[in-house]
Amino acid sequence: MSLIYPTKGLIDYPKHLSPGYKSTIKRSPSKPLIVVPHTLSELTGPVYGHNAIEEGDNDLTKMHKGEPLGERIIVHGQILDEDKRPVPEVLVELWQANACGRYVHIVDQHPAPLDPNFTGAGRTLTDKNGYYKFVTIKPGAYPWGNHHNAWRPNHIHFSLFGHSFLSRLVTQMYFPGDYLFPFDPIFNSVPDEKARNRMIATFDLENTVPEWALAFRFDIVLRGREGTPMDEEKH
Amino acid sequence: MSDLTPSQTVGPFYAYGLTPKGRAHWDPDGTYSWKETVGDNLITPDASGQKIHITGVIRDGDGVPIPDAMLEIWQADSQGRYAHPRDPRAPNASFKGFGRSACNKQGEFGFDTIKPGQVPGPNGKLQAPHVVVCIFSRGMLRQVYTRLYFPDEAANATDQILALVPEDRRHTLIARKEKDGVYRFDIKVQGDDETVFFEI
């Protein structure tokens, strides 16, 4: 299998400069990016084995003595490439705020309580079908200083690896029907509505565990697809 | 239009999840410290080659250090081999070639690694030794990629990727040798002397 990584699909990514999100103003390149061919350096990428994770790393509700407060949820899905083939055995990392919308990070000092039973970080490897699963609690919304009365919609941060360093993706998973969507410049930095909606998990009644946890499904598509003979010629 | 899941910013609070043991020291008490999967020391006991330290400061368009950036590097081993199935040559040692560094309050990052060898490039010609650098930060909605090259490498003159970079900007990709085995690679995200980033 020889994957190629066309840059065309990146049209659905946010622009580097997205002035509604103020921090991008001084942190986005101002000169044109230089287009270069993909060499072995770009077409390869880190590979992780099962020694990268430990049993229980994907259950954020069991990392302390007691159970965290909040709505227990299952977040699961498949990592796929652009041909919708599963991406097996890749590292998936996530981090999030607690049920009150507070991160344990020392820089987050907004007046909401920390939960001694919740850190909010997890990791796992996808199985041979590209499937991953986490148990966590639903993160709360929280205020941020971007503009007057700015609040982030509920979200979980995801960090993903695919078949190459070009498939590397850091994104955020949102929850269906969030009333804060229209006001969030980070969510809306993705220009196309359909593309934006791909960051929203679907409520998954079928995988909800009765009397225990709601489930959300979040499939993720990373860069990389099978090259055609014509593509090969171009390289 | 594609089917890709769009990128979003890493935000300011990634450290306890992605770089829990990192130099950012976000959690001085260690209350929530977690073991690390990807760290800033890439050197494995069996890796051959010259041990080097890479350091630098990342700054924004005003020249202000960015304390909440995260850098990842990807590189070949000392013989120019990648630890990846797409590299058809004999596998290297347990050297993975992948590292991740948070920044401290001064916007400083650092890696301990092995100086990479030359890897094949376009048309079967060798590339100059280099490290692929990927940058994430609050205020960056998607990652940016650059490359670190080494000074005093004759191969830089014939490197096909460097050749695509306007000559007056090429120096932004070449690390400075501070002393034997220590290279400084300062990054300017925007403005005068902006580091060259690649569309890849």
Side-chain angles (χ1 to χ4, degrees):
Chain A
M1 189 170 65
S2 205
L3 291 179
I4 58 163
Y5 300 87
T7 52
K8 224 170 109 188
L10 297 176
I11 186 99
D12 284 342
Y13 279 23
K15 288 195 168 50
H16 294 281
L17 174 62
S18 189
Y21 174 23
K22 282 185 187 159
S23 304
T24 66
I25 294 171
K26 293 293 179 188
R27 293 184 175 190
S28 49
S30 58
K31 296 188 166 45
L33 272 54
I34 310 276
V35 180
V36 294
H38 297 164
T39 74
L40 201 57
S41 303
E42 289 77 29
L43 298 171
T44 53
V47 178
Y48 279 87
H50 285 274
N51 55 0
I53 54 162
E54 284 178 15
E55 180 87 31
D57 277 356
N58 65 339
D59 189 341
L60 285 72
T61 67
K62 292 204 175 122
M63 294 187 176
H64 298 277
K65 277 190 193 131
E67 286 221 65
L69 294 173
E71 261 178 88
R72 190 186 295 113
I73 58 171
I74 294 160
V75 174
H76 71 138
Q78 262 182 313
I79 312 296
L80 305 163
D81 66 19
E82 290 178 79
D83 292 326
K84 302 297 164 63
R85 267 187 310 254
V87 185
E89 292 179 346
V90 288
L91 185 63
V92 180
E93 298 161 286
L94 61 72
W95 69 103
Q96 62 168 84
N98 69 20
C100 303
R102 174 94 182 259
Y103 288 88
V104 296
H105 196 289
I106 197 166
V107 172
D108 185 1
Q109 293 294 334
H110 102 269
L114 286 170
D115 183 340
N117 291 315
F118 191 71
T119 301
R123 57 173 81 109
T124 192
L125 286 179
T126 58
D127 69 10
K128 63 180 193 311
N129 298 313
Y131 180 79
Y132 73 89
K133 180 180 175 179
F134 289 96
V135 177
T136 183
I137 52 104
K138 192 174 178 189
Y142 59 85
W144 61 308
N146 187 70
H147 55 274
H148 174 67
N149 201 18
W151 293 77
R152 292 301 325 280
N154 304 341
H155 63 275
I156 296 177
H157 294 268
F158 271 77
S159 160
L160 305 134
F161 292 84
H163 287 299
S164 82
F165 206 31
L166 295 179
S167 330
R168 183 85 179 88
L169 177 71
V170 169
T171 188
Q172 300 179 22
M173 182 201 101
Y174 298 92
F175 290 84
D178 199 310
Y179 35 77
L180 289 168
F181 285 151
F183 314 107
D184 183 44
I186 294 181
F187 177 70
N188 291 296
S189 67
V190 174
D192 181 74
E193 187 184 356
K194 280 188 188 148
R196 269 200 305 277
N197 290 341
R198 292 200 290 273
M199 302 187 291
I200 306 173
T202 47
F203 173 60
D204 182 4
L205 182 66
E206 200 185 325
N207 285 291
T208 287
V209 179
E211 317 297 331
W212 192 71
L214 294 176
F216 292 89
R217 178 150 186 128
F218 185 47
D219 293 337
I220 296 162
V221 179
L222 302 178
R223 289 180 72 187
R225 67 172 175 84
E226 191 83 60
T228 62
M230 208 182 249
D231 293 317
E232 299 292 336
E233 274 166 33
K234 276 190 235 160
H235 273 270
Chain B
M1 181 61 199
S2 70
D3 293 317
L4 293 177
T5 305
S7 170
Q8 295 273 269
T9 180
V10 76
F13 304 134
Y14 66 81
Y16 66 90
L18 300 184
T19 57
K21 296 267 188 285
R23 66 192 62 231
H25 301 302
W26 65 275
D27 176 23
D29 305 330
T31 317
Y32 295 101
S33 283
W34 197 29
K35 65 196 173 294
E36 194 161 71
T37 286
V38 186
D40 55 21
N41 186 353
L42 290 73
I43 300 171
T44 51
D46 55 351
S48 62
Q50 187 199 356
K51 289 178 184 168
I52 60 168
H53 182 70
I54 295 169
T55 183
V57 173
I58 177 165
R59 292 188 172 84
D60 71 10
D62 288 333
V64 176
I66 302 180
D68 42 16
M70 178 177 88
L71 278 83
E72 289 182 349
I73 60 170
W74 172 241
Q75 63 163 89
D77 71 1
S78 63
Q79 294 169 70
R81 298 172 302 190
Y82 283 105
H84 186 273
R86 194 151 177 169
D87 191 328
R89 293 162 298 169
N92 68 14
S94 63
F95 182 77
K96 258 192 197 307
F98 181 60
R100 184 186 270 169
S101 171
C103 293
N104 63 18
K105 281 182 185 153
Q106 290 74 43
E108 221 169 25
F109 57 87
F111 295 95
D112 292 295
T113 185
I114 300 287
K115 191 173 176 197
Q118 291 188 258
V119 303
N123 311 314
K125 288 182 190 150
L126 286 177
Q127 304 186 55
H130 66 274
V131 173
V132 182
V133 180
C134 185
I135 304 164
F136 305 83
S137 175
R138 175 175 72 82
M140 287 186 180
L141 286 158
R142 54 199 275 188
Q143 68 246 35
V144 290
Y145 290 98
T146 184
R147 281 182 172 207
L148 177 159
Y149 285 85
F150 296 87
D152 311 325
E153 281 286 343
N156 288 348
T158 53
D159 185 89
Q160 295 172 84
I161 301 299
L162 270 181
L164 295 170
V165 175
E167 211 176 339
D168 61 337
R169 297 189 64 198
R170 242 171 253 170
H171 68 278
T172 67
L173 301 179
I174 298 171
R176 215 172 65 225
K177 189 172 177 174
E178 287 207 323
K179 56 182 179 190
D180 264 357
V182 179
Y183 294 93
R184 169 164 288 277
F185 187 63
D186 290 330
I187 295 169
K188 184 82 188 294
V189 169
Q190 185 190 83
D192 292 340
D193 252 354
E194 179 175 314
T195 300
V196 167
F197 300 109
F198 295 111
E199 168 88 36
I200 45 177

